[in-house]
């Protein structure tokens, strides 16, 4: 692979920092790495491949000679600056929700719909973190047996909201343990020692925006508007890793043994399913493994084509930074051919 110039927009954030790490860990062929954030972080340094790289303030002129611009600074920043990056000749891989449902913008998970990445017009969207891990688990079932219905409930970590939310959970936990008053800024309620059945704003249909993202994005990635999917998204006092309880109804009956065999062979999936030894995916395991972990696989007792499972992945990595870097790798690989 030839070396390329990369810009990370939102480099000082929870996802941005992970992007810099993932680029290094995967030996991504970086010629020049440009780190961009708000004016507040300008002059800060981040480490990459043993070197300290200074963070610069994002401006519309930040993208000269950039090949890939990895955006993770929120949707308003993406809407404002992505076109400047594209005009300068970069391919934008955007982690925000700004362009995900735009018909001109592919929404890509490399294990699921890699071919879509090549249909871009300068911008490729990374799906929502809870959608990414869901579709990785769904894809082999969909291909083998078809899927009629999905019921998913999420248990999402606070790092999914960004670095301020990580601080809020830690501070509230300390305050409660020290019998002090808690401070609340990021979430509408106390998050420490609690569960919030609300992620993002409510829409007119009583679902939250996060739940609707999962519904719309799953259909777009799977190219199937007929999948019946419903979601409940909850925020839990966990630092890293989103967990999901997933119930599927397949078109054809699928036995659990063959599903396990398929998952064992799938790149990007780690089967962790040994209930007799209390082995199943845990949120804390997502700090070690990059794969989408799947366990608690079992047949529904009431519906013959129903399957239950528990899936966990790192929201900052496979749910954001890693997926974005994998998309860039996919495009680079194709340029080589
Ligand atoms: N967290 C996740 O698990 C996750 C997963 C998938 C997608 N995403 C998406 O990724 C994006 C970032 O999320 P995050 O969790 O990393 O948030 P975060 O920790 O709050 O980081 C936000 C980043 O954006 C930068 N930023 C804010 N305002 C800016 C401005 N005016 N100009 C330039 N940079 C600016 C911040 O820079 P300063 O440090 O200088 O303020 C920081 O680097 C969001 O769109 C989010 O929806 C997040």
């Amino acid at each position: 692979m030839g070396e390329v110039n990369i810009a990370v927009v939102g480099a000082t954030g929870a996802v941005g920092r992970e992007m810099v790490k993932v680029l290094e860990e995967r030996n991504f062929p970086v010629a020049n790495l440009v780190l961009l954030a708000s004016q507040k972080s300008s002059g800060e340094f981040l480490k990459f491949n043993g070197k300290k790289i200074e963070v610069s303030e994002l401006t519309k002129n930040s993208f000269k000679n950039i090949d890939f611009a990895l955006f993770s600074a929120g949707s308003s920043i993406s809407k404002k600056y992505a076109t400047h990056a594209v005009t300068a000749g970069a391919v934008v891989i955007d982690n925000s929700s700004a362009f995900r449902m735009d018909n001109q913008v592919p929404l890509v998970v490399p294990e699921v719909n890699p071919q879509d990445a090549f249909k871009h017009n300068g911008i490729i969207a990374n799906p929502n973190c809870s959608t990414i891990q869901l579709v990785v688990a769904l894809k082999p079932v969909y291909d083998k047996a078809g899927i009629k219905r999905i019921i998913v409930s999420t248990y999402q970590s606070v790092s999914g909201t960004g670095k301020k939310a990580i601080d809020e959970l830690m501070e509230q936990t300390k305050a409660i343990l020290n019998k002090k008053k808690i401070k609340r800024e990021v979430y509408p309620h106390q998050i420490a020692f609690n569960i919030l059945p609300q992620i993002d704003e409510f829409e007119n249909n009583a679902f939250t925006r996060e739940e609707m993202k999962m519904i719309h994005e799953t259909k777009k990635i799977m190219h199937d508007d007929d999948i019946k999917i419903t979601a409940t998204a909850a925020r839990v006092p966990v630092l890293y890793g989103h967990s999901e309880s997933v119930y599927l109804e397949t078109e054809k009956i699928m036995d659990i043994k063959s599903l396990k065999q398929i998952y064992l062979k799938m790149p990007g999936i780690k089967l962790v399913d040994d209930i007799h030894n209390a082995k199943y995916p845990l949120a804390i395991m997502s700090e070690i493994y990059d794969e989408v972990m799947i366990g608690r696989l079992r047949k529904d007792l009431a519906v013959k084509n129903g399957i239950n499972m528990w899936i966990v992945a790192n929201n900052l990595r496979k749910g954001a930074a890693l997926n974005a870097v994998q998309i860039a790798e996919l495009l680079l690989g194709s340029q080589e051919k």
Side-chain angles (χ1 to χ4, degrees):
M1 278 193 221
E3 292 199 328
V4 289
N5 297 328
I6 304 276
V8 176
V9 180
T12 51
V15 173
R17 285 173 192 272
E18 214 58 49
M19 277 182 175
V20 175
K21 273 198 238 165
V22 170
L23 289 168
E24 177 169 331
E25 288 164 8
R26 293 175 74 88
N27 287 320
F28 193 91
V30 179
N32 190 27
L33 181 64
V34 175
L35 302 178
L36 302 162
S38 76
Q39 190 185 24
K40 176 185 101 195
S41 306
S42 166
E44 245 185 64
F45 285 86
L46 295 183
K47 268 203 174 157
F48 176 69
N49 282 343
K51 283 190 223 136
K52 279 163 111 189
I53 300 186
E54 190 169 351
V55 177
S56 313
E57 183 185 354
L58 170 68
T59 71
K60 58 183 189 334
N61 302 317
S62 299
F63 302 100
K64 201 165 169 258
N65 297 325
I66 293 297
D67 299 297
F68 289 101
L70 310 180
F71 274 68
S72 68
S75 52
S76 58
I77 299 293
S78 295
K79 282 181 191 154
K80 193 167 167 195
Y81 292 96
T83 47
H84 293 296
V86 174
T87 308
V91 174
V92 168
I93 302 175
D94 182 38
N95 267 284
S96 80
S97 58
F99 308 108
R100 287 181 192 149
M101 294 314 296
D102 184 329
N103 286 336
Q104 300 303 307
V105 175
L107 184 63
V108 176
V109 178
E111 291 87 343
V112 180
N113 60 337
Q115 67 289 351
D116 288 347
F118 302 100
K119 297 174 191 152
H120 72 84
N121 296 306
I123 304 177
I124 299 174
N126 227 30
N128 180 267
C129 40
S130 20
T131 311
I132 293 179
Q133 66 186 73
L134 176 67
V135 294
V136 170
L138 294 184
K139 173 72 173 156
V141 185
Y142 188 89
D143 289 348
K144 192 80 187 164
I147 295 177
K148 285 201 291 201
R149 176 131 183 82
I150 304 160
I151 301 172
V152 53
S153 302
T154 71
Y155 306 69
Q156 297 181 222
S157 67
V158 295
S159 59
T161 319
K163 63 180 194 296
K164 281 191 189 143
I166 300 174
D167 296 342
E168 182 151 310
L169 172 60
M170 296 302 255
E171 292 306 321
Q172 287 186 357
T173 306
K174 270 193 255 166
I176 291 168
L177 292 176
N178 290 308
K179 299 195 173 18
K180 293 206 173 116
K181 228 175 147 222
I182 62 148
K183 285 200 193 106
R184 189 180 57 68
E185 275 172 33
V186 178
Y187 295 118
H189 303 279
Q190 172 187 321
I191 182 65
F193 304 99
N194 204 5
I195 296 180
L196 314 183
Q198 176 187 356
I199 297 188
D200 213 329
E201 302 295 317
F202 281 100
E203 300 208 344
N204 290 336
N205 61 8
F207 280 76
T208 60
R209 210 175 284 164
E210 180 82 357
E211 290 158 354
M212 292 313 297
K213 280 179 194 168
M214 292 187 78
I215 292 169
H216 294 312
E217 291 177 21
T218 298
K219 292 180 180 191
K220 179 168 175 177
I221 297 163
M222 307 292 285
H223 295 282
D224 186 348
D225 282 337
D226 294 330
I227 296 185
K228 293 187 174 67
I229 167 166
T230 188
T232 302
R235 186 73 66 192
V236 294
V238 163
L239 286 176
Y240 303 102
H242 290 352
S243 304
E244 295 178 1
S245 164
V246 181
Y247 173 75
L248 300 177
E249 277 176 29
T250 51
E251 299 275 359
K252 289 190 226 152
I253 293 178
M254 187 161 199
D255 70 280
I256 297 295
K257 214 170 149 195
S258 22
L259 182 55
K260 282 189 182 178
Q261 287 309 314
I262 294 170
Y263 278 152
L264 277 172
K265 288 190 204 126
M266 282 288 298
I269 288 180
K270 184 174 177 64
L271 187 68
V272 188
D273 200 9
D274 178 7
I275 49 173
H276 303 296
N277 291 300
K279 290 203 170 128
Y280 29 71
L282 298 172
I284 52 172
M285 288 163 65
S286 75
E287 291 177 57
I288 303 166
Y289 299 110
D290 269 342
E291 292 92 344
V292 173
M293 290 172 281
I294 303 180
R296 296 294 322 277
L297 271 167
R298 62 206 190 276
K299 275 281 210 203
D300 182 11
L301 299 176
V303 175
K304 62 181 184 314
N305 53 352
I307 296 172
N308 287 289
M309 64 180 85
W310 181 256
I311 65 180
V312 172
N314 190 310
N315 49 291
L316 295 177
R317 291 176 67 89
K318 184 56 193 167
L322 172 60
N323 198 71
V325 172
Q326 284 175 317
I327 293 172
E329 287 171 349
L330 196 63
L331 296 181
L332 271 185
S334 90
Q335 282 168 6
E336 287 291 291
K337 279 173 203 157

